[in-house]
């Protein structure tokens, strides 16, 4: 497959208005036969340019990563979830550093400012704060399917499947249905689910 053809395929996936750097990164994934990013349906209400790569994490890497995540020290037990949220000044655990490095390469992003992990059992849900005018958010999902649900009924839930990577672009202030650039979402689990969340640009936003 020639690079020009891969670049055109990348632009079709991401939209003709996508940044050149993002299109080039996507073209490299097309050439390497890696799972590509598909734009999110507008009905989800997420910012333009947001996308998901289904099967982004190799199947054989998922069990070991899940094991390393759950045995990490520092989990907080909450009524509706378990939460791992290290201090932004603390070094990333080795497994998180490995995943972050791959996310950065895959999405053409700088190193993350922070990360957190939400662990839910069937029927549980976690509250997520997403975005800001400078913040990009990447969510790697492991385990059973979960749904990312907006408090606004006009937006459709977004399914998060095992090994998928969700990339949410910075939000514009005062979007329809949301009074501020910071969005609130609920992560609803159908079974045991881990959501590894990396945040980029949080320091600019703060």
């Amino acid at each position: 497959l020639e690079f020009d053809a891969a670049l055109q395929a990348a632009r079709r996936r991401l939209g003709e208005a996508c940044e050149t750097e993002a299109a080039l990164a996507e073209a490299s994934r097309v050439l390497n036969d890696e799972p590509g990013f598909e734009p999110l349906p507008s009905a989800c209400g997420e910012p333009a340019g947001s996308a998901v790569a289904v099967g982004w994490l190799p199947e054989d890497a998922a069990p070991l990563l899940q094991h390393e995540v759950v045995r990490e020290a520092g989990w907080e037990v909450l009524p509706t979830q378990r939460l791992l949220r290290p201090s932004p000044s603390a070094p990333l655990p080795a497994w998180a550093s490995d995943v972050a490095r791959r996310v950065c390469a895959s999405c053409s992003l700088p190193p993350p400012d922070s990360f957190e992990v939400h662990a839910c059992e069937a029927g549980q849900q976690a509250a997520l704060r997403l975005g800001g005018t400078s913040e990009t958010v990447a969510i790697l999902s492991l385990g059973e399917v979960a749904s990312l649900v907006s408090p606004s009924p006009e937006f459709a839930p977004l399914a998060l499947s095992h090994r998928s990577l969700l990339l949410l672009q910075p939000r514009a202030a005062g979007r329809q249905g949301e009074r501020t650039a910071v969005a609130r979402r609920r992560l609803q689990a159908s079974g045991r689910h881990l959501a590894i969340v990396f945040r980029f640009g949080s320091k600019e936003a703060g």
Side-chain angles (χ1 to χ4, degrees):
L1 182 64
E2 295 182 357
F3 190 80
D4 285 347
L7 184 58
Q8 291 305 312
R11 289 197 179 280
R12 285 194 296 273
R13 279 178 173 175
L14 301 182
E16 292 296 331
C18 67
E19 296 290 336
T20 299
E21 187 176 8
L24 290 173
E26 181 68 8
S28 295
R29 286 190 289 274
V30 173
L31 283 172
N32 294 329
D33 198 28
E34 298 176 4
F37 283 88
E38 298 287 348
L40 297 182
S42 59
C44 294
E46 301 302 343
S50 297
V52 64
V54 177
W56 178 84
L57 184 72
E59 187 172 2
D60 59 358
L64 178 58
L65 178 58
Q66 288 173 290
H67 176 71
E68 291 180 321
V69 173
V70 298
R71 67 191 294 268
E72 185 68 35
W75 284 92
E76 181 181 0
V77 180
L78 302 174
T80 61
Q81 63 165 315
R82 289 194 303 137
L83 177 64
L84 178 65
R85 184 159 51 192
S87 167
S89 60
L92 295 179
W95 59 264
S97 181
D98 290 343
V99 175
R101 187 162 44 247
R102 187 172 177 210
V103 169
C104 293
S106 190
C107 302
S108 300
L109 289 167
D113 297 316
S114 65
F115 92 100
E116 72 222 39
V117 185
H118 301 265
C120 295
E121 300 291 339
Q124 290 188 321
Q125 57 185 10
L128 296 182
R129 178 193 62 80
L130 299 178
T133 55
S134 301
E135 186 178 81
T136 299
V137 178
I139 303 175
L140 174 60
S141 294
L142 297 171
E144 300 297 324
V145 174
S147 297
L148 197 62
V149 182
S150 169
S152 175
E154 67 185 284
F155 297 140
L158 177 62
L160 303 178
S161 61
H162 182 48
R163 302 187 293 113
S164 68
L165 181 67
L166 176 66
L167 181 66
L168 299 175
Q169 298 293 350
R171 319 185 80 84
R175 295 175 65 247
Q176 181 182 7
E178 296 176 344
R179 290 177 293 179
T180 68
V182 176
R184 306 291 177 180
R185 297 288 184 267
R186 283 179 292 114
L187 181 72
Q188 295 183 339
S190 64
R192 184 166 295 176
H193 185 90
L194 292 172
I196 305 174
V197 181
F198 292 98
R199 299 180 184 275
F200 306 84
S202 307
K203 294 178 181 177
E204 296 177 39

